[in-house]
Amino acid sequence: MADPAQASAHPAGGEPPKETDLAFARRMRKDFQRIQMEHEFAVDEVLTKVSILRKEFLHLHRYNPIEHVGSRVKSPASILRKVARLGIEPTPEAIRAGLHDIAGVRITCSFIADTYRVLDALTSQTDVGVLLVKDYIAHPKPNGYKSLHALIEIPVFLSTGPVPVTVEVQVRTIAMDFWASLEHKIYYTYDGSVPAHIVASLTEAATLADQLDQRMEELHTEVRGAGWERAEDSAPDADEQMLMRAWESARADAEGDGAKGAGSAG
């Protein structure tokens, strides 16, 4: 026999009771915390990859193209505001599909060529899925903004299994980063309504920043060609001398053991 309480709660042919406001709020809090956690883990994965690249460049190439690395993950409140503004359904599936800037990593490089080199090294890894790349260095925005943007997908391995998470990666030079930071502060100060003469000055500053990047790139290429690369092929340093001595000692020991073995056999 059916439970009278259930019968009254679910009348025949009727709709199930709607979720209470409190239950909805609790579910949203749990969902948003999980989304934030997944993106924090994804950022950690990207930062680890960048750290490995830095060490590889230093150890194998004696050169580090990465000057600075920063990251951020939107807070649940910030995610909620953007979801509401864009009209996205507040479910984990809809948020993951509709918001691609919850997690961000910014890599600042010394020179323009380094930006392409670093992004290529990062996106060439087999567990990194490339969703989109925008080259604002080759094709700057009208206001002069320059940077490489890439949406990548990183697998985050949780106790329930792997979860693909999107991370926005920006790669730019020091000059590009300085200009972009200043531009952001100015637009924030004026709440988006920046006077025309300041906009014109910003655009001019972007041109000057680009000229600085180009000049520094030329100097970098000239100096490396003149001495840095040849220095790697010159006299060995202390570590190399130590390795050579260790190798010669190991070979001498091996030859001595071989001679002893031959004498015993005879």
Side-chain angles (χ1 to χ4, degrees), residues 53 57 65-66 107 109 114-123 171:
L53 287 175
F57 280 118
I66 301 172
I107 304 171
C109 298
D114 290 337
T115 63
Y116 291 96
R117 187 179 187 184
V118 168
L119 184 61
D120 183 63
L122 178 63
T123 56
V171 191

Side-chain angles (χ1 to χ4, degrees), residues 98-147:
L99 286 187
H100 295 145
D101 63 344
I102 295 176
V105 172
R106 181 175 297 157
I107 304 171
T108 307
C109 298
S110 306
F111 306 101
I112 297 172
D114 290 337
T115 63
Y116 291 96
R117 187 179 187 184
V118 168
L119 184 61
D120 183 63
L122 178 63
T123 56
S124 295
Q125 300 184 25
T126 56
D127 61 340
V128 176
V130 181
L131 304 179
L132 178 68
V133 174
K134 290 185 177 180
D135 188 348
Y136 292 118
I137 295 178
H139 307 284
K141 291 186 177 181
N143 64 349
Y145 174 85
K146 285 190 168 188
S147 183

Side-chain angles (χ1 to χ4, degrees), residues 62-249:
R62 299 185 183 182
Y63 170 68
N64 176 24
I66 301 172
E67 292 286 344
H68 177 72
V69 182
S71 64
R72 63 108 181 97
V73 177
K74 287 183 181 294
S75 66
S78 180
I79 296 172
L80 182 60
R81 285 195 296 270
K82 191 158 188 179
V83 164
R85 187 171 74 251
L86 297 178
I88 298 172
E89 187 180 355
T91 64
E93 296 76 18
I95 292 171
R96 291 191 188 101
L99 286 187
H100 295 145
D101 63 344
I102 295 176
V105 172
R106 181 175 297 157
I107 304 171
T108 307
C109 298
S110 306
F111 306 101
I112 297 172
D114 290 337
T115 63
Y116 291 96
R117 187 179 187 184
V118 168
L119 184 61
D120 183 63
L122 178 63
T123 56
S124 295
Q125 300 184 25
T126 56
D127 61 340
V128 176
V130 181
L131 304 179
L132 178 68
V133 174
K134 290 185 177 180
D135 188 348
Y136 292 118
I137 295 178
H139 307 284
K141 291 186 177 181
N143 64 349
Y145 174 85
K146 285 190 168 188
S147 183
L148 292 178
H149 286 201
L151 285 181
I152 63 174
E153 194 172 71
I154 297 288
V156 172
F157 294 90
L158 304 175
S159 59
T160 53
V163 177
V165 181
T166 301
V167 179
E168 181 185 47
V169 177
Q170 298 178 357
V171 191
R172 57 180 65 156
T173 65
I174 299 171
M176 294 173 193
D177 187 59
F178 177 63
W179 184 91
S181 298
L182 178 61
E183 191 254 7
H184 177 76
K185 290 175 182 177
I186 290 175
Y187 271 78
Y188 181 82
T189 300
Y190 284 96
D191 196 23
S193 301
V194 183
H197 72 280
I198 294 183
V199 173
S201 294
L202 274 173
T203 304
E204 181 183 359
T207 301
L208 294 174
D210 179 60
Q211 292 173 355
L212 176 62
D213 265 337
Q214 298 291 344
R215 182 59 182 143
M216 296 305 290
E217 187 95 26
E218 292 169 2
L219 286 171
H220 173 63
T221 302
E222 181 178 348
V223 171
R224 280 188 66 86
W228 290 9
E229 291 179 353
R230 287 204 301 269
E232 294 185 6
D233 298 326
S234 60
D237 61 17
D239 288 341
E240 290 171 345
Q241 292 174 355
M242 181 186 68
L243 287 171
M244 288 171 63
R245 288 195 298 268
W247 169 244
E248 290 168 357
S249 176

